[in-house]
Amino acid sequence: MLDLHNRSVTYLPGVGPKKAEILRQEAGISSYEDLLFYFPYKYVDRSRFYKVVEIRGTMPYIQLKGRILSFEIVGEGRTKRLIGRFTDGTGIIDLVWFKGIAYVKDKYVIGKDYIVFGKPTEFGNNYNIAHPEIDPVENADQVAGGLTPFYNTTEKMKKSFLNSKAIQNLQYTLLNWLNWQVPETLSPDVLACTHMVSLTEAIRNIHFPESAEKLKQAQVRLKFDELFYIQLNILRTATARKLKLKGIVFPQVGDYFNDFYKNHLPFELTNAQKRVVREIRADMGSGRQMNRLVQGDVGSGKTLVGLLAMLLAVDNHCQACMMAPTEILANQHYATVMEFLKGMDVKVALLTGSTKKKERNKILPEIASGEIQIVIGTHALIEESVVFSSLGLAIIDEQHRFGVEQRSRLWTKNRQIPHVLVMTATPIPRTLAMTLYGDLDVSVIDELPPGRKPIQTLHRYDNKKAQLHEFLRKEIERGRQVYIVYPLIEGSEKLDYKNLEEGFELFKEIFPEYTVCMVHGKMKAADKEAEMQKFISGEAKILMATTVIEVGVNVPNASVMVIESAERFGLSQLHQLRGRVGRGAEQSYCILVSSYKLSNETRKRLEIMVNSNNGFEIAEADLRLRGHGDLEGTQQSGMGIDLKIANLASDGQILQLARDIAQQILY
Ligand code: ADP
Ligand code: MG
């Protein structure tokens, strides 16, 4: 059998060096294999012939059978075109060409029977078909056999006569040469237990579908292949790493954990939290290095799970650290942890960029000696001057802010690689997580603590501001606090800051009786902290901010969130922001303010927000609307996923199957 992988497409008739180069550059097709795996992006049903009299308003592609009556060139310069009058006996329709006039006129014979295929457009009282595909009726078997594939082509390809039809012809020629046989790549066992069609059958039907059902089977097989090899790779790397990386063993649950759990924990853990803590304990006791991603919607109680894991490390005579993406968050985690651990004898330190030199000089040796058991901080933790005595666990909060590289720098903090726990509120859909973070084990906290009232989300247009202000005033009179968030988007920062500052002035005017405060990324850390503190203490009733508050801030009394220019935010981001409210016992509100003029997609996005409070549902919807390439958190994953045929949003079942089979094979 031919070596499909190494045989160049230049062996195909009609593909000279120039066309071969264009195929390579524009479509990535160099070898026979590349060509066979260049799949159509859609299919048009060509099983039916239409009559000219049947043509109506907006029809998709149709085919007709008949004769050309005459050719005529009309217009001049740019409007110059060739018109072929075409009839099937029921009426007349114009076929129109703007390019290749001489070639067309020469190629098609007046009075001969042809099959014409194209999309009719209405033109005055008549219809015409521009640049139709024309085949002699003798070729009907080849072209009009039902589902016709369409291949992606670029302008450059079309200019070199490499249109969709030409690609199809190349596929036909190649498959003929191959006797319509392609070497199988899956073992008989896998084929049998997955009930997949053979690769030959799949390739044949993806290019020349015998029926809609056979096409479907072909697609399933080819999607499976694509996902299967990705999973094999991911799992193999993960296994290799697991075998190589011995983890510090934490054999015992000791006094710290038990004392905290029994005497200091102010509430019962949710079942989801209990499950995740069990998973973490199993990892830490296994002798392998833990590398676990904990996903949980905002407010699901990840911090507490992290704290319990840190206490386990301390119980086993190791240190633990927790790294947050911003100072505000690190401060808050520190405050939270100190509050939880009140009355317990655990030594905790905070280390951020604004830790004073004197304080640093005191802390660093204590970290190095092991006296400090838990360190909470920002990027400052990965600076070289920070040396641990025995770091057993590193927790990274809000993963999407940290690159993979930073994650690995934490590892070098110790002779032995510490256990790593990554916590994220960005609910990456399961299918995507399996592909992106295949090397991480994933835990999901899919339950919120009891007693939370669902946040009510409303969409309001920005020409109804007076009503909005009235609503805010009522809520503040009831003792609530309000967040007002402005977008801050790369490329329009200047205008965005201006909007925020103008908004700030306006709100001070509208609410003279209350303190209004403001934070944004350009402020000095100390000022930011001071403003934030005003809000946390309850002195300020209204906090105006850019998206700096996006992550983690916890003020239970703030129950109203207004998001200005909501149309400019992505769904996941909106959901993150919304998670800042709904933390107390009061009914909370999220008000999405947008302009009236919205694209359909944006309108859908805002609708999803109004209708759903479920982060996973929202992330799935986001994935469907935007495609996975755009999803927050996927860029820095360090693993480009370039899928030809499978779709992570809709092929979850096939992905699961691919993963199961890959697992069976490897273990
Ligand atoms: P996340 O980081 O997942 O967004 P947090 O850890 O900040 O959520 O928790 C949100 C709030 O819920 C905190 O005030 C926390 O103390 C509280 N909380 C966490 N777990 C529970 C629980 N099991 N029951 C009641 N409240 C909880
Ligand atoms: Mg958090």
Side-chain angles (χ1 to χ4, degrees):
M1 183 152 289
L2 273 172
D3 179 357
L4 299 178
H5 185 70
N6 288 316
R7 183 61 77 107
S8 156
V9 286
T10 47
Y11 285 95
L12 293 171
V15 183
K18 186 165 164 260
K19 275 194 185 173
E21 186 54 19
I22 287 175
L23 279 172
R24 189 185 66 76
Q25 273 178 4
E26 301 288 301
I29 299 173
S30 305
S31 66
Y32 283 2
E33 186 181 271
D34 297 335
L35 181 61
L36 291 176
F37 283 80
Y38 195 72
F39 303 136
Y41 69 94
K42 72 166 181 186
Y43 299 84
V44 172
D45 188 354
R46 285 188 70 169
S47 55
R48 175 179 184 327
F49 282 97
Y50 284 80
K51 298 267 180 254
V52 172
V53 284
E54 290 177 306
I55 298 175
R56 295 278 174 280
T58 50
M59 272 185 157
Y61 285 86
I62 58 165
Q63 61 184 350
L64 305 164
K65 204 187 295 183
R67 284 162 291 130
I68 297 170
L69 296 172
S70 63
F71 277 122
E72 187 188 355
I73 296 177
V74 297
E76 286 195 24
R78 287 172 60 197
T79 65
K80 182 172 164 186
R81 59 200 185 270
L82 175 69
I83 294 183
R85 315 218 60 194
F86 180 87
T87 184
D88 62 356
T90 71
I92 293 178
I93 184 169
D94 286 347
L95 310 178
V96 186
W97 288 268
F98 296 92
K99 285 183 206 157
I101 290 178
Y103 170 80
V104 169
K105 220 170 148 234
D106 214 41
K107 178 159 182 191
Y108 302 115
V109 182
I110 288 173
K112 187 170 155 38
D113 281 324
Y114 287 114
I115 295 168
V116 165
F117 177 74
K119 188 172 164 42
T121 30
E122 210 167 348
F123 192 75
N125 285 330
N126 285 308
Y127 289 95
N128 66 43
I129 299 180
H131 289 254
E133 261 179 39
I134 300 189
D135 290 281
V137 283
E138 303 89 84
N139 293 0
D141 280 357
Q142 221 190 86
V143 299
L147 293 164
T148 299
F150 274 68
Y151 296 88
N152 270 318
T153 55
T154 63
E155 276 310 309
K156 229 174 158 178
M157 287 167 78
K158 283 188 201 121
K159 271 202 195 119
S160 305
F161 303 101
L162 285 166
N163 57 13
S164 178
K165 185 70 199 280
I167 304 277
Q168 193 192 3
N169 288 339
L170 287 178
Q171 304 282 10
Y172 190 88
T173 310
L174 176 54
L175 278 166
N176 243 344
W177 277 14
L178 300 174
N179 268 330
W180 298 82
Q181 296 291 324
V182 183
E184 184 53 58
T185 48
L186 293 181
S187 71
D189 283 357
V190 172
L191 275 180
C193 79
T194 55
H195 308 291
M196 297 279 168
V197 296
S198 68
L199 191 58
T200 289
E201 180 98 5
I203 291 287
R204 209 187 277 172
N205 275 286
I206 204 80
H207 297 296
F208 301 93
E210 287 165 44
S211 66
E213 195 187 333
K214 293 230 164 180
L215 172 59
K216 177 92 198 152
Q217 290 170 348
Q219 286 168 329
V220 169
R221 163 68 206 255
L222 295 167
K223 287 173 176 189
F224 175 83
D225 279 24
E226 194 165 38
L227 297 169
F228 176 63
Y229 294 119
I230 292 176
Q231 290 305 323
L232 266 184
N233 252 332
I234 289 173
L235 290 173
R236 211 175 41 198
T237 330
T239 318
R241 217 203 45 226
K242 273 185 184 158
L243 290 177
K244 209 167 63 203
L245 298 181
K246 286 235 179 81
I248 306 160
V249 184
F250 292 169
Q252 56 179 346
V253 177
D255 291 345
Y256 287 110
F257 187 98
N258 283 330
D259 179 32
F260 176 73
Y261 202 88
K262 291 197 188 99
N263 307 321
H264 295 263
L265 189 60
F267 35 66
E268 174 93 3
L269 290 185
T270 63
N271 286 327
Q273 283 171 319
K274 283 184 194 161
R275 188 185 65 235
V276 174
V277 171
R278 268 200 306 276
E279 287 165 351
I280 292 169
R281 269 180 53 188
D283 282 354
M284 289 174 154
S286 73
R288 278 176 290 150
Q289 184 234 1
M290 172 171 76
N291 218 3
R292 186 171 282 280
L293 177 73
V294 174
Q295 287 191 359
D297 215 343
V298 277
S300 60
K302 294 185 292 295
T303 315
L304 185 59
V305 168
L307 176 59
L308 287 163
M310 292 199 288
L311 291 175
L312 274 171
V314 174
D315 269 336
N316 290 276
H317 316 291
C318 279
Q319 294 166 294
C321 72
M322 185 188 270
M323 183 160 80
T326 65
E327 273 192 27
I328 293 179
L329 243 182
N331 290 341
Q332 193 164 326
H333 280 330
Y334 179 68
T336 308
V337 167
M338 292 304 277
E339 178 67 28
F340 272 131
L341 297 183
K342 217 184 242 166
M344 282 181 65
D345 186 23
V346 187
K347 189 140 186 193
V348 186
L350 174 70
L351 186 67
T352 70
S354 34
T355 303
K356 296 262 157 37
K357 195 150 185 224
K358 204 174 132 207
E359 175 77 1
R360 270 179 73 88
N361 288 341
K362 183 170 158 297
I363 292 175
L364 291 181
E366 289 177 356
I367 295 177
S369 74
E371 194 183 335
I372 290 177
Q373 295 156 297
I374 292 177
V375 192
I376 293 169
T378 55
H379 294 79
L381 285 178
I382 49 179
E383 280 165 22
E384 263 173 47
S385 54
V386 184
V387 180
F388 287 86
S389 139
S390 60
L391 182 64
L393 168 68
I395 299 181
I396 302 172
D397 194 18
E398 307 297 353
Q399 144 89 2
H400 62 288
R401 298 295 168 105
F402 290 111
V404 169
E405 200 243 342
Q406 279 164 323
R407 176 147 61 99
S408 59
R409 267 174 66 189
L410 259 179
W411 292 10
T412 63
K413 290 267 143 202
N414 222 38
R415 253 172 300 129
Q416 194 161 16
I417 293 179
H419 296 294
V420 174
L421 195 61
V422 178
M423 305 198 297
T424 178
T426 308
I428 301 152
R430 220 185 122 63
T431 51
L432 192 57
M434 274 167 59
T435 308
L436 290 179
Y437 299 108
D439 69 320
L440 293 178
D441 296 307
V442 180
S443 291
V444 183
I445 309 185
D446 50 3
E447 185 185 357
L448 292 180
R452 300 254 172 95
K453 287 202 185 80
I455 302 161
Q456 213 174 321
T457 303
L458 310 163
H459 176 200
R460 293 287 176 265
Y461 295 112
D462 55 12
N463 54 5
K464 300 256 171 71
K465 277 285 171 63
Q467 277 160 288
L468 175 63
H469 297 150
E470 261 335 284
F471 174 79
L472 298 182
R473 178 162 277 118
K474 279 216 189 85
E475 286 298 307
I476 297 172
E477 277 165 10
R478 287 201 180 117
R480 308 283 87 79
Q481 288 166 281
V482 177
Y483 293 109
I484 318 267
V485 181
Y486 283 78
L488 180 63
I489 288 164
E490 212 177 309
S492 65
E493 287 98 339
K494 224 170 152 183
L495 194 66
D496 288 341
Y497 279 122
K498 188 163 156 269
N499 288 342
L500 171 65
E501 259 146 35
E502 281 172 6
F504 183 50
E505 294 309 317
L506 181 73
F507 268 79
K508 281 197 289 194
E509 252 169 60
I510 298 175
F511 297 96
E513 69 273 43
Y514 298 121
T515 306
V516 182
C517 61
M518 173 168 80
V519 287
H520 60 70
K522 271 202 314 199
M523 290 163 81
K524 288 209 193 79
D527 296 342
K528 215 165 27 181
E529 181 62 19
E531 288 290 286
M532 205 60 219
Q533 211 46 54
K534 275 192 212 165
F535 192 67
I536 292 170
S537 71
E539 177 197 338
K541 297 297 175 198
I542 300 174
L543 172 70
M544 314 202 50
T546 56
T547 36
V548 291
I549 61 157
E550 182 184 338
V551 205
V553 174
N554 192 12
V555 182
N557 190 48
S559 62
V560 183
M561 156 90 38
V562 177
I563 303 177
E564 294 279 349
S565 303
E567 69 268 37
R568 296 178 59 203
F569 291 93
L571 265 179
S572 303
Q573 216 181 358
L574 286 173
H575 182 65
Q576 293 291 300
L577 283 168
R578 177 168 63 181
R580 298 305 111 216
V581 298
R583 298 186 159 221
E586 306 303 325
Q587 174 63 55
S588 323
Y589 301 90
C590 173
I591 300 155
L592 307 170
V593 181
S594 81
S595 78
Y596 194 76
K597 265 181 36 201
L598 295 175
S599 73
N600 266 342
E601 196 205 300
T602 309
R603 207 171 283 280
K604 258 195 219 135
R605 270 211 315 266
L606 298 180
E607 247 169 55
I608 290 167
M609 285 298 295
V610 169
N611 293 327
S612 176
N613 261 320
N614 180 321
F616 286 86
E617 234 173 73
I618 288 170
E620 300 273 0
D622 207 17
L623 194 58
R624 272 199 305 277
L625 281 177
R626 298 199 295 171
H628 56 82
D630 254 0
L631 200 81
E632 281 165 60
T634 61
Q635 288 89 345
Q636 88 294 27
S637 66
M639 194 184 118
I641 31 170
D642 182 16
L643 297 173
K644 280 190 171 106
I645 184 166
N647 178 327
L648 292 173
S650 50
D651 295 327
Q653 270 184 335
I654 302 176
L655 177 56
Q656 186 66 53
L657 180 64
R659 190 173 173 89
D660 291 348
I661 301 287
Q663 213 137 20
Q664 278 173 30
I665 289 176
L666 287 174
Y667 303 111

